[in-house]
Amino acid sequence: MRAALVGVDFGKGDFAASLDELSLLSKSAGADPVVTITGKRSSPDAALFVGSGKADEVAHAVEDGQLDIVIFNHALSPAQQRNLERHLKTRVVDRTSLILDIFAQRAKSHEGKVQVELAQLQHLATRLVRGWTHLERQKGGIGLRGPGETQLETDRRLLGDRVKALRTRLDKLQRQRETQRRARDRNNTFSVSLVGYTNAGKSTLFNALTKAQAYAANQLFATLDTTSRRIYLGEVGSVIVSDTVGFIRELPHQLVAAFRATLEETIHADLLLHVVDASSPVRMEQIEQVNEVLADIGADHIPQILVWNKIDAANLAPGFERDEYDKIQRVFISAQTGAGLDLLRDAIAEYAKVNAPTHLAGLSTLPSDNARA
């Protein structure tokens, strides 16, 4: 599917990095970005988002390149999307729809699929009217007063019923997850969650720490489903480590809401390992984005250790840094080569020992699912 990428620089954040990310997202969704069109504005155009001149430029590119789709690096209103499709005479997708599409492709577990479908339907609900423009009511048009409105109401009701059913199912899955978590709490098991920007290397690190076979790939949102494993850390005993979905700038609110059940694992962790791509030129901005999402889901109060991953690509040496209170604040590792992993295990064990003495009584007697590291 040949695509045109469109980005507008409003003078906020790193525009070039955001466009690179859009290109990666497009490829992850199965599109082939043929051309990238950029522009500068102080604010979006109400009708076409980019303004009529830039919309004409995009239309020529679509025609000349025989493109199948135009992907915007922004969230478009239903009216803007509708106007653009009329103007460009081709399918228009915004950043939110693109991320939802990738999530739909990647969801593997029952819970993941339910969460993605719920997010998609909530997004679709605002855009339902697009399918019924041919039945818009016209003054004095015999036979054109009712059908469009009736069909739209029917669609909304059916969609509403489906959303309600999915929410009920998610609530049930959330209760099951809560039961499992309570059982873990009774065993005083210390829990660690991996969080971080998408493609920071969380799943590679998860596999390296736990000897698991979780899917890891150099692509955005390779992991959607939370996976948990036990690791053994010497005198501290067993610790539960969970891999979670990656975050991204402007993560659609529908997704944050729909994935709340999965992200609950993060909220209830004793410690967060915030995995950072040390080789990324926008790593500080990515750290900020992750912390914003953590605040959104109510997990910003949980202690963090920053894990600077991919040190082999950033020409950094394994090691760790402590803060003014002598607590380990940052660990430098490469999940790919294994450099610094022993330091990370030591950091987790040190934190568990100092900050969670109540866990230690139960930990030493728990069996480990993995070979001792």
Side-chain angles (χ1 to χ4, degrees):
M1 187 179 281
R2 292 162 63 80
L5 307 184
V6 181
V8 180
D9 185 359
F10 294 110
K12 294 173 187 171
D14 192 318
F15 182 61
S18 178
L19 272 184
D20 289 344
E21 199 169 84
L22 181 68
S23 180
L24 272 173
L25 283 168
S26 305
K27 288 171 187 168
S28 296
D32 175 21
V34 176
V35 62
T36 301
I37 297 162
T38 61
K40 276 191 173 185
R41 288 184 71 90
S42 56
S43 61
D45 178 72
L48 293 167
F49 193 86
V50 290
S52 55
K54 189 60 70 175
D56 288 341
E57 186 187 330
V58 178
H60 291 313
V62 168
E63 200 175 334
D64 296 344
Q66 294 183 307
L67 306 181
D68 309 298
I69 191 167
V70 175
I71 302 171
F72 275 72
N73 192 27
H74 313 274
L76 300 172
S77 72
Q80 285 166 339
Q81 191 172 351
R82 188 163 63 248
N83 294 339
L84 282 163
E85 286 186 342
R86 282 178 185 153
H87 194 92
L88 305 177
K89 298 180 177 59
T90 192
R91 192 161 163 247
V92 173
V93 168
D94 68 356
R95 187 185 172 88
T96 303
S97 301
L98 181 64
I99 294 173
L100 285 168
D101 189 79
I102 295 167
F103 271 53
Q105 289 179 42
R106 300 276 163 78
K108 294 287 184 286
S109 72
H110 173 60
E111 186 175 14
K113 287 174 181 173
V114 170
Q115 289 174 136
V116 171
E117 189 185 346
L118 178 60
Q120 283 182 311
L121 290 179
Q122 287 171 327
H123 185 61
L124 178 67
T126 63
R127 282 155 165 75
L128 256 188
V129 72
R130 286 172 63 218
W132 297 101
T133 48
H134 64 294
L135 292 174
E136 280 171 351
R137 288 189 295 164
Q138 297 173 15
K139 273 188 180 175
I142 297 170
L144 288 172
R145 264 183 286 269
E149 200 171 16
T150 308
Q151 183 62 58
L152 194 57
E153 283 171 1
T154 305
D155 282 6
R156 282 214 173 106
R157 184 174 49 77
L158 291 171
L159 197 139
D161 290 347
R162 181 68 181 151
V163 164
K164 199 173 172 184
L166 288 171
R167 281 201 174 123
T168 303
R169 204 179 303 171
L170 264 186
D171 286 345
K172 189 180 175 187
L173 290 165
Q174 198 163 356
R175 282 196 299 274
Q176 287 172 359
R177 198 181 277 276
E178 191 61 45
T179 304
Q180 291 165 354
R181 198 159 34 235
R182 274 202 300 271
R184 229 167 44 208
D185 289 345
R186 277 197 299 274
N187 286 329
N188 289 322
T189 313
F190 188 81
S191 66
V192 177
S193 271
L194 301 180
V195 298
Y197 209 76
T198 182
N199 210 28
K202 293 183 302 301
S203 295
T204 305
L205 174 57
F206 179 76
N207 289 342
L209 279 174
T210 66
K211 314 292 190 291
Q213 299 297 316
Y215 179 64
N218 183 27
Q219 56 184 205
L220 302 183
F221 301 118
T223 304
L224 287 191
D225 303 309
T226 299
T227 313
S228 299
R229 293 284 185 279
R230 286 171 187 261
I231 62 171
Y232 187 80
L233 296 176
E235 62 175 5
V236 172
S238 289
V239 169
I240 294 279
V241 179
S242 299
D243 188 17
T244 58
V245 62
F247 301 149
I248 197 167
R249 78 186 81 208
E250 296 168 50
L251 190 67
H253 286 298
Q254 298 98 321
L255 273 177
V256 175
F259 273 75
R260 200 167 188 91
T262 301
L263 295 169
E264 286 280 313
E265 211 58 52
T266 306
I267 300 169
H268 293 279
D270 295 302
L271 175 68
L272 300 181
L273 296 184
H274 184 159
V275 185
V276 181
D277 179 353
S279 66
S280 171
V282 289
R283 57 184 178 266
M284 300 315 289
E285 197 180 313
Q286 291 179 348
I287 289 171
E288 212 175 290
Q289 296 288 336
V290 171
N291 285 332
E292 275 181 28
V293 179
L294 289 173
D296 282 349
I297 63 171
D300 50 336
H301 65 286
I302 300 167
Q304 286 186 20
I305 292 177
L306 278 172
V307 181
W308 284 53
N309 188 26
K310 306 188 186 182
I311 56 168
D312 46 326
N315 293 319
L316 295 169
F320 59 83
E321 290 176 359
R322 293 182 181 272
D323 62 15
E324 64 268 33
Y325 305 107
D326 204 35
K327 288 180 181 173
I328 293 177
Q329 188 178 32
R330 199 177 308 193
V331 184
F332 297 85
I333 66 147
S334 169
Q336 194 75 53
T337 67
L341 282 184
D342 51 340
L343 296 174
L344 182 58
R345 288 191 186 94
D346 290 346
I348 297 168
E350 182 180 307
Y351 183 89
K353 210 185 294 184
V354 174
N355 294 281
T358 53
H359 287 80
L360 299 182
L363 282 172
S364 56
T365 58
L366 286 169
S368 172
D369 291 350
N370 304 285
R372 298 190 177 191

